[in-house]
């Protein structure tokens, strides 16, 4: 069986007219950065990269050492290639312009450099999430307003998961495709073509410790699935919760499920828990491209018009029929 590398796959996508050469090259640079992050994650305590960095990010959350390392790797890998007009990171307050001595490109890159980093010290899977937009004013200085595009405007999105193996999952609009890092060869190999999410599922993922803060529609849904075969759903469900969005979403892409980080009384003033630009939008693009659905509980995530760079939103995504049920409960409330 012929092994197809990420580079070969991307060239084929370009030949089909699904992506421009600069976008292909940008994806390859992101993949190289992912490999570098994977090396640092895998070394763990051996490299002295565990624990907190002693600083907070823009959201006021304590940064892990690997948060800072992963952020630096992504910025340094992408700032000189000539494919980007600017970048934005979940870990940094303002947008990251391309240094004046480097060429500029026509794309904007947004990323969560190390999603689920609170799990690093206990050796649980973490990952990187990224999103690509077109720069609306090529040739002009980039401002934060240029990033304020709805998720439907994304030209590519993806994530990596650093687990027993390092996997890279991406979409450029023609399905969702998965690649596994061959550590000996140093290449990502095409292992999961056209990943799809089944419409129905018996698994749900939610932080059950927040139950007392949930809104009534979420209380209703979770009580129904917990009741199992004896309840109104007439079948048993299992709950899975990794507390690392990339790991939970990767499981859903692999075998189905629904992931919920809903609006609750703790996060209502902030608009939700997860970040629209760095987490919700790219994951929603991937999930929809795989046949699933992604909403805030009330509206489609990809239709949201961003108003600020670090905007937060509720997230309900995964198997279509379950997401639509949760959304219907919200709209009926």
């Amino acid at each position: 069986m012929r092994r197809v590398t990420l580079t070969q796959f991307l060239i084929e996508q370009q030949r089909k007219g699904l992506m421009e050469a600069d976008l292909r090259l940008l994806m390859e640079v992101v993949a190289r950065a992912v490999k570098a992050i994977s090396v640092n994650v895998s070394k763990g305590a051996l490299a002295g990269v565990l624990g907190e960095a002693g600083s907070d990010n823009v959201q006021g959350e304590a940064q892990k050492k690997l948060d800072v390392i992963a952020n630096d790797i992504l910025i340094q890998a992408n700032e000189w290639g000539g494919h980007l007009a600017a970048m934005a990171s979940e870990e940094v307050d303002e947008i990251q312009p391309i240094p004046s001595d480097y060429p500029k490109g026509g794309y904007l890159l947004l990323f969560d450099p190390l999603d689920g980093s609170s799990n690093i010290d206990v050796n649980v899977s973490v990952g990187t999430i990224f999103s690509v937009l077109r720069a609306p004013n090529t040739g002009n200085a980039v401002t934060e307003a240029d990033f304020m595009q709805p998720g439907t405007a994304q030209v590519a999105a993806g994530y990596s998961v650093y687990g027993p193996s390092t996997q890279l999952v991406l979409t450029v609009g023609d399905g969702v495709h998965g690649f596994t890092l061959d550590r000996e060869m140093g290449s990502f190999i095409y292992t999961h073509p056209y990943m799809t999410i089944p419409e129905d599922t018996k698994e749900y993922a939610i932080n059950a410790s927040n139950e007392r803060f949930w809104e009534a529609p979420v209380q209703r849904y979770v009580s129904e699935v917990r009741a199992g075969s004896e309840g109104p759903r007439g079948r048993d469900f299992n709950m899975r919760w990794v507390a690392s969005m990339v790991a939970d979403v990767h499981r859903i892409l692999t075998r189905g499920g629904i992931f919920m980080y809903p609006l609750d009384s703790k996060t209502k003033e902030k608009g939700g828990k997860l970040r629209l630009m760095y987490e919700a939008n790219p994951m929603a693009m991937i999930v929809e491209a795989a046949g699933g659905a992604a909403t805030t509980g009330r509206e489609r995530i990809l239709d949201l018009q961003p108003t600020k760079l670090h905007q937060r939103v509720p997230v309900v995504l995964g198997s279509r029929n379950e997401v639509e049920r949760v959304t219907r409960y919200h709209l009926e409330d």
Side-chain angles (χ1 to χ4, degrees), residues 41-281:
V41 170
S42 65
K43 288 181 178 178
L46 297 176
V49 296
L50 301 185
E52 295 187 356
S55 57
D56 292 343
N57 64 15
V58 63
Q59 285 86 22
E61 300 163 337
Q63 289 179 309
K64 298 289 186 179
K65 292 177 183 177
L66 274 169
D67 281 321
V68 178
I69 292 170
N71 187 67
D72 289 346
I73 287 172
L74 279 159
I75 290 175
Q76 291 168 14
N78 284 283
E79 66 184 0
W80 62 273
H83 317 304
L84 293 176
M87 291 176 275
S89 168
E90 183 186 293
E91 298 296 325
V92 182
D93 190 9
E94 299 177 345
I95 64 171
Q96 301 293 293
I98 302 301
S100 58
D101 51 340
Y102 292 139
K104 313 292 189 297
Y107 293 103
L108 304 173
L109 177 67
L110 304 96
F111 51 84
D112 178 354
L114 203 63
D115 179 76
S117 59
S118 61
N119 284 320
I120 277 289
D121 292 350
V122 292
N123 205 28
V124 171
S125 294
V126 294
T128 298
I129 309 172
F130 63 90
S131 167
V132 182
L133 299 166
R134 290 189 187 277
N137 301 302
T138 305
N140 297 328
V142 178
T143 67
E144 185 173 314
D146 293 328
F147 285 83
M148 298 298 104
Q149 303 179 43
T152 51
Q154 294 174 108
V155 295
Y159 67 84
S160 62
V161 57
Y162 312 113
S165 63
T166 293
Q167 292 189 288
L168 177 66
V169 175
L170 59 84
T171 181
V172 293
D174 178 34
V176 178
H177 306 274
F179 305 81
T180 302
L181 180 61
D182 183 329
R183 297 185 186 276
E184 285 71 31
M185 297 295 294
S187 301
F188 277 105
I189 305 301
Y190 190 24
T191 52
H192 295 74
Y194 292 97
M195 302 174 75
T196 57
I197 299 172
E199 291 186 348
D200 293 299
T201 183
K202 293 183 179 179
E203 288 188 348
Y204 68 102
I206 193 168
N207 185 349
S209 69
N210 289 327
E211 181 174 4
R212 66 192 185 279
F213 304 112
W214 294 339
E215 294 181 314
V218 178
Q219 297 264 9
R220 174 186 174 186
Y221 176 79
V222 174
S223 68
E224 288 180 356
V225 296
R226 271 203 313 227
S229 58
E230 298 175 355
R233 300 301 304 276
R235 55 196 171 104
D236 293 326
F237 285 74
N238 288 324
M239 192 184 89
R240 298 286 184 265
W241 180 252
V242 184
S244 172
M245 188 187 191
V246 287
D248 280 311
V249 172
H250 191 66
R251 183 185 60 254
I252 288 169
L253 272 169
T254 304
R255 68 188 194 198
I258 179 172
F259 170 89
M260 294 175 283
Y261 220 124
L263 194 66
D264 60 33
S265 59
K266 286 201 308 180
T267 62
K268 193 167 187 176
E269 287 188 6
K270 295 180 179 179
K273 173 67 174 178
L274 302 179
R275 285 71 176 183
L276 173 62
M277 307 292 283
Y278 312 104
E279 296 169 316
N281 267 345

